[in-house]
Amino acid sequence: MSEKTMPLNGIRVIDFTQVMLGPCATQTLGDLGADVIKVERPGAGDLSRGFYGKHTEEAMNNAVFASLNRNKRSVEIDTKSAEGRQQVLDLVKTADVVVDNFRAGVMDRLGFGYAALSKLNPRIICASGTGFGSSGPYAHKGGQDVLAQAMTGVMEKTQDPSIPKSIYPTTLCDYSAGMHLVQGILAALLMRDKTGHGQKVEVSLYDSMIAMQMQEAAQWSKHREVLNWAAMPLTGVFDTADGAIVIVGAFKANPLQDICTALEIEDLSPEYPTLDVQRQHKPFLQQRFRDAIAENTSAYWLERLEEQDLLCAPVRSLGEALADPQTKINGMLHEVQHPVLGDITLTGSPVHLSDAPVLIRHLPPRLGEHTEEVLQELAVLLAQEAAE
């Protein structure tokens, strides 16, 4: 497949993002064929380059940074200098999208907000990912995944009231907001084809987490009832003789009866026939399951549960998941040779287009690796524009 046939070929993105929310969005745009130019601070770059707190070449191209920044070109620009500011403005003249994930108002203070940039380029799309939105009582707060979990009700819910509230260990909010940012950018590009002009796109960690709880929010608003899928009475994680499995006791006419059959215990469904009754006696039911499941291996119970067409799975480590043949079959691993890191495996895209598979056109860039290249291209483009 040629780069020219990729969905976003010809779209230029000026990328001011760092850490997670923004970089996962711009990496997705790069995977779809956009020319993503990552603007980085001289000598330091994206905050993720300092993950280990060192400034060695290897540390600044660490695996965390690499995981979020393929298919981008890096330029070092001092946006506080007159020359650097002009370089950014010249890039914007040739661009389609500008993306940032600073605190609300930062791009305006830098002189790179939508109001200013749209005068230079009426077709420009300015996309911002913030913590809590561009206005309101929390607009000034720094956005961070854990804070969004805490402030939107995500962290408050646990599988069992006796379990302490804790931080979800994967960057759920950042990734969700990043993908919402991609949606907004793609929609704005489509709309520009109709109207001829760009617009401002905004997402926030806060909004993404509220939106993710659409079912829970509707249930609370209508009935003042907490909907907690992890706390359902026939659902849980259970230790086996050699590991752990998860069972989801739902979407069946009589899931309790089927679970009892699979676990080779007496049928408890006549005594606990309804969901409400099962909720009231959840500790007893879960303990009954726990006692039975501890007596045999994960493989044994998964086979028994699947015979009853129950939803079940082994609880695995990330390493085990990455080694699973399904992961490779799904194209979720890209093994690349990086000039600094050597062999490194990057995750693939979860979106599979039959006519546009993800190509790694640019390895995760070294800081400023493409500064000269991009500025030379810019000079040519501006000269052509002046000649016309």
Side-chain angles (χ1 to χ4, degrees):
M1 184 192 68
S2 167
E3 288 185 29
K4 293 182 179 180
T5 63
M6 297 186 73
L8 295 184
N9 178 257
I11 298 297
R12 171 169 282 191
V13 177
I14 310 303
D15 178 11
F16 285 91
T17 70
Q18 51 188 345
V19 188
M20 175 71 183
L21 187 169
C24 73
T26 52
Q27 178 168 269
T28 299
L29 298 175
D31 285 350
L32 292 171
D35 177 18
V36 179
I37 298 172
K38 187 176 181 70
V39 178
E40 300 196 71
R41 296 169 297 156
D46 186 326
L47 289 173
S48 288
R49 290 192 186 272
F51 182 75
Y52 291 107
K54 302 175 183 178
H55 284 278
T56 64
E57 184 75 357
E58 185 172 358
M60 292 185 73
N61 291 278
N62 62 77
V64 170
F65 173 83
S67 71
L68 291 157
N69 288 286
R70 66 167 175 253
N71 287 332
K72 303 178 185 182
R73 297 191 288 169
S74 170
V75 298
E76 286 183 279
I77 294 181
D78 180 5
T79 58
K80 295 181 180 179
S81 71
E83 180 185 21
R85 289 171 56 79
Q86 189 57 53
Q87 287 171 338
V88 169
L89 296 176
D90 287 342
L91 281 169
V92 169
K93 293 175 185 177
T94 69
D96 301 278
V97 185
V98 174
V99 189
D100 80 276
N101 62 318
F102 298 133
R103 294 192 192 200
V106 168
M107 288 293 275
D108 290 316
R109 290 195 293 274
L110 290 172
F112 305 143
Y114 178 66
L117 298 188
S118 62
K119 292 177 182 177
L120 272 182
N121 180 355
R123 290 174 58 81
I124 201 71
I125 293 162
C126 289
S128 296
T130 63
F132 302 95
S134 59
S135 61
Y138 308 132
H140 68 285
K141 283 179 67 67
Q144 203 276 336
D145 194 283
V146 175
L147 305 187
Q149 292 178 38
M151 294 184 68
T152 59
V154 171
M155 190 182 292
E156 192 271 337
K157 294 188 292 292
T158 61
Q159 178 185 341
D160 186 280
S162 66
I163 299 174
K165 294 173 176 54
S166 63
I167 296 167
Y168 188 74
T170 296
T171 51
L172 176 71
C173 312
D174 276 327
Y175 187 78
S176 298
M179 294 306 98
H180 288 149
L181 193 58
V182 171
Q183 290 177 30
I185 291 167
L186 295 179
L189 286 169
L190 287 172
M191 190 169 178
R192 191 181 67 176
D193 288 343
K194 300 176 182 178
T195 66
H197 58 79
Q199 62 182 293
K200 190 172 184 179
V201 176
E202 294 181 290
V203 306
S204 71
L205 299 172
Y206 189 86
D207 292 353
S208 287
M209 286 301 94
I210 294 292
M212 184 173 283
Q213 300 173 91
M214 59 186 76
Q215 299 171 92
E216 294 90 335
Q219 189 73 358
W220 175 257
S221 299
K222 177 65 177 177
H223 301 293
R224 287 297 185 267
E225 180 179 300
V226 175
L227 181 59
N228 184 343
W229 294 111
M232 299 299 280
L234 306 183
T235 293
V237 179
F238 304 96
D239 290 332
T240 68
D242 62 352
I245 62 172
V246 63
I247 301 172
V248 178
F251 312 114
K252 301 271 287 179
N254 190 345
L256 179 54
Q257 182 181 60
D258 293 335
I259 291 173
C260 292
T261 299
L263 300 185
E264 303 164 345
I265 60 177
E266 71 277 12
D267 183 5
L268 299 170
S269 61
E271 189 173 355
Y272 308 100
T274 67
L275 185 59
D276 285 340
V277 172
Q278 291 164 6
R279 280 197 181 105
Q280 294 168 23
H281 296 87
K282 177 183 174 182
F284 166 77
L285 294 171
Q286 295 261 317
Q287 189 59 54
R288 191 71 184 87
F289 301 163
R290 194 170 292 112
D291 291 342
I293 291 170
E295 295 297 318
N296 219 317
T297 65
S298 296
Y300 177 83
W301 289 124
L302 291 172
E303 183 178 358
R304 292 280 304 166
L305 291 160
E306 288 179 347
E307 285 175 356
Q308 299 301 316
D309 196 27
L310 286 159
L311 295 171
C312 60
V315 177
R316 304 189 304 191
S317 68
L318 174 60
E320 290 171 326
L322 293 178
D324 192 301
Q326 190 69 56
T327 305
K328 185 174 183 179
I329 290 168
N330 288 1
M332 289 305 297
L333 299 176
H334 291 287
E335 297 175 0
V336 300
Q337 180 72 29
H338 191 276
V340 177
L341 298 177
D343 293 334
I344 185 170
T345 299
L346 305 175
T347 61
S349 171
V351 178
H352 306 288
L353 302 180
S354 62
D355 292 341
V358 170
L359 302 174
I360 299 185
R361 299 169 291 118
H362 301 289
L363 291 170
R366 299 188 299 277
L367 178 60
E369 179 180 346
H370 304 95
T371 302
E372 184 177 347
E373 173 184 293
V374 169
L375 293 181
Q376 286 179 351
E377 290 176 3
L378 179 62
V380 171
L381 289 171
L382 292 176
Q384 291 175 343
E385 185 178 295
E388 293 173 357

